[in-house]
Amino acid sequence: MTQEIEDKGTHQIIKPPNDLRQKTKPSRSSPPNFDPIAKAEQALHQMSGNFTLWIEEEVAALVKAWSVAREAGLSTDSMDDLFRAAIDIKGQAETFGYPIAGSIADSLCRLVEHGQEGNQLPEPLLDQHVQAVRAVVRERAKGDDSQIALSLLHNLTDVTNDYIAQSA
Amino acid sequence: MTRVDLSTVRILIADDNSHMRRIVRTLLNSYGARDITEAEDGAEALELFKASGPDIVITDWIMPIFDGLELTRMIRSEDASGNPYVPIIMLTGHSEKKRVVEARDAGVTEFLCKPISAKGLYMRVLNCIVNPRPFVKSKTFFGPDRRRFTNPHYAGEERRTEPAPQQAENG
């Protein structure tokens, strides 16, 4: 198989050979009723026993990054580390069963990104986000039935939105 | 659903978070993939890309040394030894539209927002295999055609002077 190239003057359109299609052709011995998504969901469920430990490890990384940032000052490097820890929680908390913690981490990410654009960041608000994520996981506030966790999330999001709007 | 056999497909996962790497590997194994390698940062991922020649790359955005966006640019560059047409799936906590556009402009094939789901990842992998996009090469861009959908009924002249962004696919 060779690639096809179409010259359009300002650019070329290239169709690379699709070896992957050939490589993934099901063989006759492949089970006909195999459902890869159902199998993957089942595998995810089987590993969910680890999720509480894993979210606790992520929270510990966030708390550590924040502690270092407070001691060293809110520098570019320390805020980058805090952002990394926060976006990991934002991306994984729902998978681990803690969607509210993920949403609080999302608010923290937006706040830190706002600071990365040269705006002054309020240390107490950063601290409140970190402590809120920590509390939600510590109290096992997993679903939407935790009114305190939800109210914490809404308040932090509102204050963050106001802050970003006012200082932009 | 289209059936594919992933048992011989070589997949490279680049993510600095060990929990996420384990989740992605578990999902891929469940789909039938067996040949999976992992990298903890962009530099290690580029080394493994050159050494192992993966069929699909799944990368996080934020990683130490260099990030997923830089990794994508390096894989797509003429200097990189290896397959510059390799499908790249960006799996990231970033969800803003500007990030999707930025990833697409760097040469990413598919964009998938975390939290990850079994279906979301499978559909991106399947798309790379079943619906491969042609590549565009111009003075300023090399990567999968950023116009995912071509109107087969369009009979007008080609208006593209540069392969400009037109539509962002959301993950």
Side-chain angles (χ1 to χ4, degrees), chain B residues 103-155:
Chain B
R104 187 193 57 183
D105 289 351
V108 158
T109 315
E110 297 285 338
F111 193 92
L112 180 57
C113 291
K114 295 173 187 172
I116 194 169
S117 70
K119 185 178 180 184
L121 182 61
Y122 187 73
M123 297 316 285
R124 298 311 189 283
V125 170
L126 196 63
N127 225 11
C128 291
I129 296 165
V130 179
N131 301 310
R133 278 189 275 169
F135 272 62
V136 171
K137 185 178 186 182
S138 73
K139 281 180 186 170
T140 56
F141 176 75
F142 175 71
D145 193 341
R146 291 175 287 189
R147 293 175 175 179
R148 177 178 286 276
F149 303 107
T150 305
N151 181 357
H153 305 295
Y154 179 69

Side-chain angles (χ1 to χ4, degrees), chain A residues 3 10-14 18 23-24 26 30-31 34 36 40 43 54 57-58 83-84 88 90-92 113, chain B residues 3-5 8-9 17 19-20 22 30 55 62 85 93 95 99 114-115 122 129 132 134-137 160-161:
Chain A
Q3 65 180 26
T10 55
H11 61 279
Q12 292 178 327
I13 305 285
I14 303 166
N18 187 2
K23 200 172 181 175
T24 58
S30 303
F34 177 61
W54 290 2
E57 287 174 2
E58 298 295 344
F83 183 81
R84 276 193 185 134
D88 276 351
K90 177 192 169 187
Q92 297 182 112
E113 276 190 311
Chain B
R3 289 172 62 212
V4 290
D5 178 356
T8 60
V9 174
N17 188 290
H19 300 145
M20 187 46 72
R22 191 154 160 208
S30 302
D55 297 304
I62 296 175
Y85 303 109
S95 51
R99 299 285 191 171
K114 295 173 187 172
Y122 187 73
I129 296 165
F135 272 62
V136 171
K137 185 178 186 182
R160 172 164 53 187
T161 54

Side-chain angles (χ1 to χ4, degrees), chain A residues 73-130:
Chain A
L74 307 189
S75 65
T76 306
D77 284 350
S78 70
M79 286 297 99
D80 282 352
D81 290 344
L82 184 67
F83 183 81
R84 276 193 185 134
I87 200 168
D88 276 351
I89 293 176
K90 177 192 169 187
Q92 297 182 112
E94 190 171 329
T95 306
F96 295 160
Y98 290 85
I100 298 174
S103 298
I104 297 170
D106 179 29
S107 177
L108 177 57
C109 285
R110 289 191 299 110
L111 191 58
V112 175
E113 276 190 311
H114 185 65
Q116 286 167 336
E117 289 164 6
N119 300 291
Q120 187 84 23
L121 286 178
E123 197 174 314
L125 188 53
L126 290 168
D127 187 54
Q128 284 159 4
H129 277 85
V130 174

